[in-house]
Amino acid sequence: MTSQSLNTQTLHIAFWKKVVFVSLSAIAIAFAVSLSVESDAPEISHDGLHLTPTDDVALLYLKPDADFSPYKRFVLLEAYVAFKKNWQRDTKVAGRRVSNKDMEKIKVEVAQLFQDSFKEVLETDGGYAFVDKADDDVLILRPAIIDLDITAPDIMVPGRVTQYVASSGAATLYLEVFDSVSGEILARIVDRKRTRDSGYMQWSSSVSNRADAKRMFKRWATMLREGFDDLHSEAQAADKP
């Protein structure tokens, strides 16, 4: 590989990392709304992806005849994070309103936890490498965590506050998958999950909230890893005489 082509690939990924998420958020929210009326989800998306039946996620769109078996590495872009509508207005801790600063801090923490969780499942457990440059076997994952609903956020308030909840919250994953070289979109996944729902009240804290969110993110990452494992196993079986 020449130095020029390497620089081109690095710049290509840098461009993706600087993508403005305004349009993504609008599209993602529209798809999130369709989760409640999945029968109304279009059979073919605006960018030519086809709705594909699956029991793993709420909505799965794929490019017709896309072959994912050659891909073995990923570029994971920073997750866009958006709260549920009116979450800030409706959420208070010990009578204190959640501030804009609190929300931005939570967004940063959620995005980092998402990245750490996906890398742990796909790279550490699954053996799939994460890279920073485009190549023929590299996919770009562009995630968004939308409709984020944290039941009892652990924010700084005067005095000691103990909160008990049955579920620490919920979120919707909106994940787009692109070929890293051509930039062509190959898949879109939309799925909503709720964190632990024990059926009885439990103490909520920053530690329990983080643990619950990590479990939720790892379930999505495991679904993706198992899908790629199956594709590679099928490809290997087909290559055998």
Side-chain angles (χ1 to χ4, degrees):
M1 182 181 298
T2 67
S3 175
Q4 182 178 2
S5 63
L6 178 59
N7 289 337
T8 301
Q9 291 176 339
T10 303
L11 288 172
H12 181 67
I13 297 303
F15 164 77
W16 277 98
K17 289 187 174 181
K18 292 180 180 178
V19 168
V20 178
F21 287 106
V22 174
S23 60
L24 170 61
S25 63
I27 296 171
I29 291 171
F31 266 87
V33 171
S34 70
L35 284 173
S36 59
V37 283
E38 290 177 32
S39 59
D40 294 336
E43 290 295 322
I44 302 178
S45 69
H46 65 283
D47 45 8
L49 302 183
H50 288 222
L51 183 62
T52 304
T54 178
D55 294 328
D56 295 327
V57 294
L59 295 174
L60 172 63
Y61 281 86
L62 295 173
K63 178 190 172 185
D65 302 322
D67 181 12
F68 290 91
S69 60
Y71 299 102
K72 297 178 176 63
R73 298 183 293 166
F74 300 99
V75 170
L76 180 60
L77 303 184
E78 181 180 351
Y80 170 88
V81 180
F83 283 88
K84 180 182 178 181
K85 184 179 180 180
N86 297 326
W87 178 84
Q88 184 180 26
R89 184 198 67 187
D90 298 337
T91 303
K92 292 183 178 180
V93 178
R96 177 181 178 274
R97 178 176 174 269
V98 179
S99 69
N100 292 337
K101 184 177 180 180
D102 292 328
M103 291 185 70
E104 290 306 312
K105 180 174 181 289
I106 293 171
K107 285 181 181 181
V108 170
E109 291 174 348
V110 168
Q112 186 61 56
L113 183 61
F114 181 90
Q115 185 173 72
D116 293 344
S117 300
F118 261 59
K119 286 189 174 182
E120 180 179 338
V121 170
L122 287 164
E123 187 172 43
T124 305
D125 298 340
Y128 295 95
F130 282 81
V131 296
D132 289 319
K133 58 180 182 290
D135 211 334
D136 292 337
D137 66 341
V138 175
L139 284 175
I140 294 176
L141 306 180
R142 184 169 73 161
I145 300 298
I146 58 177
D147 269 354
L148 178 61
D149 182 14
I150 302 176
T151 307
D154 189 19
I155 60 177
M156 296 297 293
V157 295
R160 181 178 177 83
V161 178
T162 303
Q163 301 182 89
Y164 291 89
V165 298
S167 170
S168 58
T172 297
L173 170 68
Y174 180 93
L175 178 66
E176 292 182 325
V177 181
F178 300 85
D179 178 88
S180 67
V181 176
S182 68
E184 181 179 20
I185 187 167
L186 302 178
R188 178 177 293 113
I189 296 169
V190 187
D191 190 49
R192 184 160 183 81
K193 289 193 184 302
R194 180 165 293 280
T195 59
R196 63 175 167 86
D197 193 350
S198 59
Y200 56 90
M201 306 299 280
Q202 296 187 53
W203 176 41
S204 178
S205 68
S206 60
V207 175
S208 61
N209 283 348
R210 181 181 175 85
D212 289 342
K214 186 173 184 178
R215 277 192 290 269
M216 180 171 63
F217 296 157
K218 289 180 73 172
R219 288 204 301 272
W220 281 320
T222 299
M223 174 270 299
L224 191 64
R225 186 195 70 198
E226 290 176 347
F228 275 96
D229 287 347
D230 290 343
L231 286 170
H232 294 146
S233 296
E234 292 170 4
Q236 290 174 0
D239 289 339
K240 292 181 180 179

